[in-house]
Amino acid sequence: FVFSIAVLGIAVFSSMDAIMKVLVIEIGAYDTLLWRTLAGAILTGLIYLPRRGAWPSRATIRVHLIRGSVSAVMAVTFFWGLARVPMAQAIALTFIAPLLALFGAGFLLKEHISRRAIIASLVAFAGVGVIMLGQAASAPSPDRFRGTVAVLLSAVCYAYNIVLMRQQALVAGPQEVAFFQSVIVLAILAAGAPFMAHVPDLRHVPAIVGAAVLATVSLLLLAWAYARGEANYLAPTEYTAFIWASLWGWVVFSEKIALYTLAGAALIIAVCLIAARRRSIENVEAAF
């Protein structure tokens, strides 16, 4: 069940990516993130502040600050790159993150890394390799190359973010995580507002609010899941984002899905299903 909630959180987040790509193309990466994060901070504040108990400890605030700072860099680089490469390709590039997070969880959180977890991540990463073989058939433009570099930088940040997600979920509830994530990222982005911000047209407001709602729901779902499952177990769920990226890329942006892409996606889905099934069996056996 925890695995399924994490998969749902990724699905919601990936759907938000499609809205964000439209906005980034129309109003730019900075303005899109600034106004979406402002809407998200207001929304999460309405959820968290009326019900909050004691203010978080200094140690907890420190975890919030670190993850918020990493998330700000991750978001800016990802959405800037997303506007320059197909959605499926961008998401495929980020799949180095769960693989890095797997070993980061072992190093930073002292989690046990099982042989099954390593094999699952490597097989899923092989699926990404198949996808990239297909992408290599078409020569990228300089702008697409810069977008690719930006997405890869974001993926490195996201690997650390997955580990931080587990640390944060162990010391704070989902509503607190979502609120501080939004507020800290907003504070970082707002530093450049006097020089870079533009007020969006009213026609963009529904998309901005919609993206904020989806981002908040995703944060709540993932925070709940990572409070109940180890990072090395849940990290492979990140690979399911490719399925949604392919779907929305095709529906919204008319981006074609190559046979290489489908083959890689099949590997990714298969390994995630196997990982979830084996973990369920292990839990049942542990109960007896």
Side-chain angles (χ1 to χ4, degrees):
F1 183 71
V2 172
F3 196 91
S4 299
I5 293 298
V7 169
L8 179 60
I10 296 299
V12 173
F13 197 82
S14 299
S15 301
M16 183 270 297
D17 285 343
I19 298 176
M20 291 292 285
K21 178 165 182 171
V22 173
L23 287 169
V24 169
I25 292 171
E26 294 188 2
I27 66 176
Y30 176 79
D31 282 321
T32 296
L33 279 168
L34 177 67
W35 297 111
R36 187 213 70 180
T37 308
L38 174 60
I42 293 171
L43 178 61
T44 54
L46 291 173
I47 295 172
Y48 169 68
L49 292 175
R51 300 180 180 180
R52 76 174 183 87
W55 195 252
S57 67
R58 181 177 297 181
T60 301
I61 290 291
R62 180 176 176 274
V63 175
H64 289 324
L65 285 170
I66 293 173
R67 188 184 173 206
S69 300
V70 172
S71 295
V73 177
M74 178 188 76
V76 171
T77 51
F78 176 75
F79 289 115
W80 187 88
L82 182 63
R84 290 159 175 80
V85 299
M87 282 191 68
Q89 182 180 355
I91 296 300
L93 290 169
T94 66
F95 286 163
I96 65 168
L99 189 63
L100 295 174
L102 176 68
F103 300 100
F107 179 73
L108 296 173
L109 302 181
K110 310 303 180 186
E111 292 184 357
H112 170 66
I113 305 174
S114 68
R115 181 180 298 178
R116 283 198 187 101
I118 294 173
I119 293 173
S121 287
L122 290 176
V123 172
F125 197 64
V128 176
V130 172
I131 294 163
M132 296 309 296
L133 279 176
Q135 294 293 343
S138 59
S141 65
D143 198 43
R144 182 175 290 190
F145 176 76
R146 288 189 288 268
T148 298
V149 172
V151 172
L152 285 172
L153 175 59
S154 176
V156 174
C157 293
Y158 193 45
Y160 187 27
N161 187 66
I162 292 173
V163 179
L164 290 171
M165 201 185 311
R166 171 65 172 166
Q167 285 184 315
Q168 194 179 34
L170 291 175
V171 297
Q175 296 175 356
E176 180 182 323
V177 168
F179 173 71
F180 279 96
Q181 173 87 350
S182 297
V183 169
I184 291 168
V185 173
L186 176 62
I188 293 170
L189 293 173
F195 315 101
M196 302 169 63
H198 303 88
V199 177
D201 290 342
L202 287 177
R203 64 189 178 90
H204 292 128
V205 171
I208 291 171
V209 173
V213 170
L214 292 176
T216 300
V217 171
S218 176
L219 277 171
L220 292 171
L221 290 171
L222 290 173
W224 187 93
Y226 273 81
R228 291 160 177 79
E230 292 186 345
N232 71 71
Y233 164 57
L234 295 177
T237 64
E238 301 290 335
Y239 295 116
T240 61
F242 178 79
I243 310 305
W244 297 102
S246 299
L247 174 64
W248 293 124
W250 175 58
V251 171
V252 181
F253 304 102
S254 300
E255 296 169 354
K256 295 181 179 179
I257 305 174
L259 288 176
Y260 279 99
T261 299
L262 293 175
L267 277 174
I268 292 164
I269 295 172
V271 78
C272 284
L273 291 175
I274 291 170
R277 181 173 177 273
R278 286 182 173 174
R279 181 57 177 251
S280 297
I281 290 172
E282 288 173 359
N283 287 343
V284 171
E285 290 175 347
F288 292 95

